[in-house]
PDB file of all heavy atoms in Angstrom:
ATOM      1  N   ILE A  77      -0.538 -16.038  -9.799  1.00 98.00           N
ATOM      2  CA  ILE A  77       0.705 -15.263  -9.707  1.00 98.00           C
ATOM      3  C   ILE A  77       1.866 -16.211  -9.992  1.00 98.00           C
ATOM      4  O   ILE A  77       2.056 -17.203  -9.286  1.00 98.00           O
ATOM      5  CB  ILE A  77       0.878 -14.635  -8.319  1.00 98.00           C
ATOM      6  CG1 ILE A  77      -0.363 -13.801  -7.957  1.00 98.00           C
ATOM      7  CG2 ILE A  77       2.137 -13.780  -8.261  1.00 98.00           C
ATOM      8  CD1 ILE A  77      -0.427 -13.403  -6.502  1.00 98.00           C
ATOM      9  N   THR A  78       2.615 -15.907 -11.023  1.00 98.00           N
ATOM     10  CA  THR A  78       3.798 -16.692 -11.367  1.00 98.00           C
ATOM     11  C   THR A  78       5.031 -15.861 -11.047  1.00 98.00           C
ATOM     12  O   THR A  78       5.190 -14.752 -11.569  1.00 98.00           O
ATOM     13  CB  THR A  78       3.795 -17.069 -12.857  1.00 98.00           C
ATOM     14  OG1 THR A  78       2.598 -17.787 -13.158  1.00 98.00           O
ATOM     15  CG2 THR A  78       5.001 -17.939 -13.191  1.00 98.00           C
ATOM     16  N   THR A  79       5.896 -16.388 -10.193  1.00 98.00           N
ATOM     17  CA  THR A  79       7.097 -15.660  -9.787  1.00 98.00           C
ATOM     18  C   THR A  79       8.331 -16.284 -10.417  1.00 98.00           C
ATOM     19  O   THR A  79       8.321 -17.435 -10.850  1.00 98.00           O
ATOM     20  CB  THR A  79       7.256 -15.671  -8.253  1.00 98.00           C
ATOM     21  OG1 THR A  79       7.515 -17.008  -7.817  1.00 98.00           O
ATOM     22  CG2 THR A  79       6.003 -15.144  -7.571  1.00 98.00           C
ATOM     23  N   CYS A  80       9.384 -15.491 -10.459  1.00 98.00           N
ATOM     24  CA  CYS A  80      10.662 -15.973 -10.993  1.00 98.00           C
ATOM     25  C   CYS A  80      11.784 -15.343 -10.189  1.00 98.00           C
ATOM     26  O   CYS A  80      11.811 -14.119 -10.010  1.00 98.00           O
ATOM     27  CB  CYS A  80      10.806 -15.601 -12.469  1.00 98.00           C
ATOM     28  SG  CYS A  80      12.396 -16.092 -13.198  1.00 98.00           S
ATOM     29  N   THR A  81      12.694 -16.171  -9.689  1.00 98.00           N
ATOM     30  CA  THR A  81      13.887 -15.654  -9.027  1.00 98.00           C
ATOM     31  C   THR A  81      14.898 -15.331 -10.115  1.00 98.00           C
ATOM     32  O   THR A  81      15.530 -16.217 -10.693  1.00 98.00           O
ATOM     33  CB  THR A  81      14.462 -16.681  -8.042  1.00 98.00           C
ATOM     34  OG1 THR A  81      13.473 -16.973  -7.049  1.00 98.00           O
ATOM     35  CG2 THR A  81      15.715 -16.144  -7.360  1.00 98.00           C
ATOM     36  N   GLU A  82      15.026 -14.059 -10.421  1.00 98.00           N
ATOM     37  CA  GLU A  82      15.901 -13.641 -11.514  1.00 98.00           C
ATOM     38  C   GLU A  82      17.373 -13.793 -11.144  1.00 98.00           C
ATOM     39  O   GLU A  82      18.205 -14.153 -11.982  1.00 98.00           O
ATOM     40  CB  GLU A  82      15.603 -12.191 -11.887  1.00 98.00           C
ATOM     41  CG  GLU A  82      14.153 -11.911 -12.261  1.00 98.00           C
ATOM     42  CD  GLU A  82      13.748 -12.572 -13.566  1.00 98.00           C
ATOM     43  OE1 GLU A  82      14.634 -13.038 -14.314  1.00 98.00           O
ATOM     44  OE2 GLU A  82      12.526 -12.630 -13.848  1.00 98.00           O
ATOM     45  N   ARG A  83      17.687 -13.532  -9.898  1.00 98.00           N
ATOM     46  CA  ARG A  83      19.056 -13.732  -9.412  1.00 98.00           C
ATOM     47  C   ARG A  83      19.043 -13.803  -7.896  1.00 98.00           C
ATOM     48  O   ARG A  83      18.338 -13.039  -7.237  1.00 98.00           O
ATOM     49  CB  ARG A  83      19.996 -12.601  -9.844  1.00 98.00           C
ATOM     50  CG  ARG A  83      21.449 -12.858  -9.439  1.00 98.00           C
ATOM     51  CD  ARG A  83      22.372 -11.743  -9.880  1.00 98.00           C
ATOM     52  NE  ARG A  83      23.764 -12.068  -9.577  1.00 98.00           N
ATOM     53  CZ  ARG A  83      24.353 -11.866  -8.391  1.00 98.00           C
ATOM     54  NH1 ARG A  83      23.656 -11.324  -7.392  1.00 98.00           N
ATOM     55  NH2 ARG A  83      25.618 -12.188  -8.196  1.00 98.00           N
ATOM     56  N   GLN A  84      19.807 -14.711  -7.352  1.00 97.00           N
ATOM     57  CA  GLN A  84      19.997 -14.808  -5.914  1.00 97.00           C
ATOM     58  C   GLN A  84      21.479 -14.714  -5.606  1.00 97.00           C
ATOM     59  O   GLN A  84      22.253 -15.624  -5.932  1.00 97.00           O
ATOM     60  CB  GLN A  84      19.433 -16.112  -5.346  1.00 97.00           C
ATOM     61  CG  GLN A  84      19.598 -16.222  -3.837  1.00 97.00           C
ATOM     62  CD  GLN A  84      18.794 -17.359  -3.255  1.00 97.00           C
ATOM     63  OE1 GLN A  84      17.620 -17.532  -3.588  1.00 97.00           O
ATOM     64  NE2 GLN A  84      19.419 -18.145  -2.389  1.00 97.00           N
ATOM     65  N   GLY A  85      21.904 -13.597  -5.052  1.00 96.00           N
ATOM     66  CA  GLY A  85      23.293 -13.392  -4.690  1.00 96.00           C
ATOM     67  C   GLY A  85      23.557 -13.748  -3.240  1.00 96.00           C
ATOM     68  O   GLY A  85      22.712 -14.330  -2.549  1.00 96.00           O
ATOM     69  N   ARG A  86      24.720 -13.357  -2.758  1.00 95.00           N
ATOM     70  CA  ARG A  86      25.080 -13.680  -1.380  1.00 95.00           C
ATOM     71  C   ARG A  86      24.185 -12.975  -0.367  1.00 95.00           C
ATOM     72  O   ARG A  86      23.937 -13.499   0.718  1.00 95.00           O
ATOM     73  CB  ARG A  86      26.543 -13.313  -1.121  1.00 95.00           C
ATOM     74  CG  ARG A  86      27.535 -14.266  -1.798  1.00 95.00           C
ATOM     75  CD  ARG A  86      28.957 -13.840  -1.526  1.00 95.00           C
ATOM     76  NE  ARG A  86      29.261 -12.546  -2.141  1.00 95.00           N
ATOM     77  CZ  ARG A  86      30.427 -11.918  -2.022  1.00 95.00           C
ATOM     78  NH1 ARG A  86      31.389 -12.446  -1.272  1.00 95.00           N
ATOM     79  NH2 ARG A  86      30.627 -10.764  -2.642  1.00 95.00           N
ATOM     80  N   SER A  87      23.683 -11.778  -0.728  1.00 96.00           N
ATOM     81  CA  SER A  87      22.830 -11.058   0.216  1.00 96.00           C
ATOM     82  C   SER A  87      21.537 -10.547  -0.404  1.00 96.00           C
ATOM     83  O   SER A  87      20.591 -10.256   0.319  1.00 96.00           O
ATOM     84  CB  SER A  87      23.595  -9.880   0.825  1.00 96.00           C
ATOM     85  OG  SER A  87      23.936  -8.928  -0.168  1.00 96.00           O
ATOM     86  N   LEU A  88      21.484 -10.440  -1.747  1.00 98.00           N
ATOM     87  CA  LEU A  88      20.334  -9.825  -2.410  1.00 98.00           C
ATOM     88  C   LEU A  88      19.664 -10.798  -3.365  1.00 98.00           C
ATOM     89  O   LEU A  88      20.339 -11.455  -4.172  1.00 98.00           O
ATOM     90  CB  LEU A  88      20.780  -8.577  -3.178  1.00 98.00           C
ATOM     91  CG  LEU A  88      19.694  -7.795  -3.912  1.00 98.00           C
ATOM     92  CD1 LEU A  88      18.778  -7.086  -2.925  1.00 98.00           C
ATOM     93  CD2 LEU A  88      20.317  -6.781  -4.874  1.00 98.00           C
TER      94      LEU A  88
END
Side-chain angles (χ1 to χ4, degrees):
I77 306 167
T78 303
T79 67
C80 177
T81 300
E82 304 292 347
R83 185 179 185 276
Q84 181 168 314
R86 287 179 294 178
S87 64
L88 181 70

